[in-house]
Amino acid sequence: MQSYELSPRVPGFDALESGNFLHKVLQRFWNSVQTQQNLRSKSLADRRRLLTECIDAAFAAHQSLVTDWDTAYLALQKQRLHNLLDHWLELELERSPFTVSATEQDAHIEVGPLTLRVRMDRIDKIDLPDGNEGFVFIDYKTSYASNPKNWESLRPDDPQLPLYALTTAPDELQALTFAKIRAGQQAEWLGYQSTPGLLPIKTVPDLPQRVDTWRDTLTQLAHAFYSGDTSVSPKDFAQNCKNCAQRLVCRLNIETLNTSLDEDDGAADE
Ligand code: SF4
């Protein structure tokens, strides 16, 4: 038997739907533009026109909404997304040159005994000084929370980029980065690159060694899952359990959980 959290409906788009629209728009946009050079060669008016077309296409399935409220809400959402991405494209122009090699690409990745089905947001190709090609894996994020430092543990948070890194040869992988597409100053690249200057992110010359560590970590986790390890041991009660809707049916000692959460809340208030 499985237990699921209730999914209450809210007026308008929820965070998941909003995120999906952003992905669709960027997929259309980069499938059309393809390279930073092409982006740079467009006038601001042409760039904005294309962005508008991509947004309209992504929202096309919702054009049949009929009330005035629907119309006004949809126009507001489109304008919000346009503002967000218009600013984000400026950050794309500040990077070193790239070609978008794939968007929303489905792939299967083998980790230990598991074959994981993933959808990679974006893979960029860059020309290396030695004449070879390198790759940059990009994961779009619209929230604050994701941070590459959370990859450095035996139970990494947001492990999708380290997982994608396993698909490349050591000399091919040049960077892994979250694209934090947020308003104004909150928009940023956040990740690791092997050599400086590709992106405004941290340079870690030992990136291939880190990938080896992630391979070991993820393989261990895959083996544990495959062998039926169903122990309930959240990595961080305060973070993982705070908003859980399943606590009534959880096998954890709820008293212990409540104590942990209360202590955390107290500390946060200080
Ligand atoms: S309370 Fe924590 S451990 Fe229990 S189901 Fe929820 S998230 Fe998992």
Side-chain angles (χ1 to χ4, degrees):
M1 188 179 77
Q2 288 181 305
S3 140
Y4 296 97
E5 181 178 356
L6 288 175
S7 177
R9 293 304 303 168
V10 294
F13 303 129
D14 61 23
L16 180 63
E17 288 170 311
S18 296
N20 287 340
F21 284 126
L22 181 138
H23 279 244
K24 284 180 185 168
V25 172
L26 286 174
Q27 182 180 19
R28 285 179 181 275
F29 185 87
W30 285 116
N31 284 350
S32 170
V33 175
Q34 297 190 336
T35 68
Q36 188 199 50
Q37 189 179 4
N38 289 342
L39 179 65
R40 200 179 297 285
S41 68
K42 283 186 179 301
S43 68
L44 187 59
D46 283 348
R47 189 179 93 191
R48 287 178 171 166
R49 197 172 302 119
L50 177 61
L51 196 50
T52 299
E53 288 170 13
C54 294
I55 290 171
D56 285 343
F59 281 81
H62 293 269
Q63 298 292 4
S64 59
L65 299 179
V66 288
T67 69
D68 289 347
W69 188 92
D70 291 336
T71 305
Y73 178 78
L74 203 58
L76 193 66
Q77 286 296 325
K78 286 181 175 182
Q79 188 60 52
R80 187 194 70 85
L81 198 50
H82 196 285
N83 293 348
L84 199 63
L85 294 178
D86 191 43
H87 174 61
W88 180 257
L89 292 174
E90 294 294 334
L91 272 60
E92 296 276 11
L93 288 170
E94 294 170 7
R95 299 171 48 189
S96 62
F98 62 87
T99 296
V100 177
S101 168
T103 57
E104 307 297 326
Q105 175 161 295
D106 291 323
H108 291 87
I109 303 177
E110 293 190 1
V111 188
L114 302 180
T115 300
L116 304 177
R117 192 175 63 191
V118 301
R119 177 166 293 171
M120 302 179 185
D121 290 355
R122 185 166 135 200
I123 306 170
D124 287 0
K125 209 163 51 179
I126 56 175
D127 293 328
L128 301 176
D130 63 6
N132 290 319
E133 290 178 336
F135 294 99
V136 176
F137 289 97
I138 296 172
D139 197 53
Y140 299 133
K141 292 287 179 194
T142 54
S143 68
Y144 277 121
S146 304
N147 192 309
K149 73 180 183 206
N150 295 330
W151 298 337
E152 314 301 335
S153 87
L154 293 177
R155 297 169 68 183
D157 291 337
D158 286 319
Q160 58 271 41
L161 286 170
L163 186 64
Y164 304 162
L166 308 188
T167 64
T168 58
D171 53 348
E172 287 178 339
L173 179 66
Q174 296 302 307
L176 303 168
T177 183
F178 294 120
K180 291 208 166 186
I181 304 178
R182 296 179 58 81
Q185 297 298 315
Q186 296 173 359
E188 62 178 343
W189 300 99
L190 207 55
Y192 295 156
Q193 60 190 348
S194 58
T195 50
L198 303 178
L199 287 144
I201 57 178
K202 186 174 180 181
T203 300
V204 290
D206 63 343
L207 189 55
Q209 289 74 39
R210 290 181 190 237
V211 174
D212 286 341
T213 303
W214 293 332
R215 180 177 287 105
D216 292 344
T217 300
L218 295 172
T219 301
Q220 280 179 23
L221 290 170
H223 276 290
F225 179 82
Y226 186 75
S227 65
D229 180 356
T230 57
S231 57
V232 183
S233 58
K235 179 174 156 185
D236 179 345
F237 282 171
Q239 284 297 321
N240 305 139
C241 304
K242 193 165 191 169
N243 299 315
C244 179
Q246 316 272 20
R247 286 172 62 182
L248 277 179
V249 294
C250 180
R251 285 178 286 141
L252 276 183
N253 181 336
I254 298 295
E255 288 301 315
T256 308
L257 179 61
N258 280 335
T259 302
S260 300
L261 289 178
D262 291 346
E263 285 171 356
D264 178 73
D265 286 348
D269 289 342
E270 287 174 1

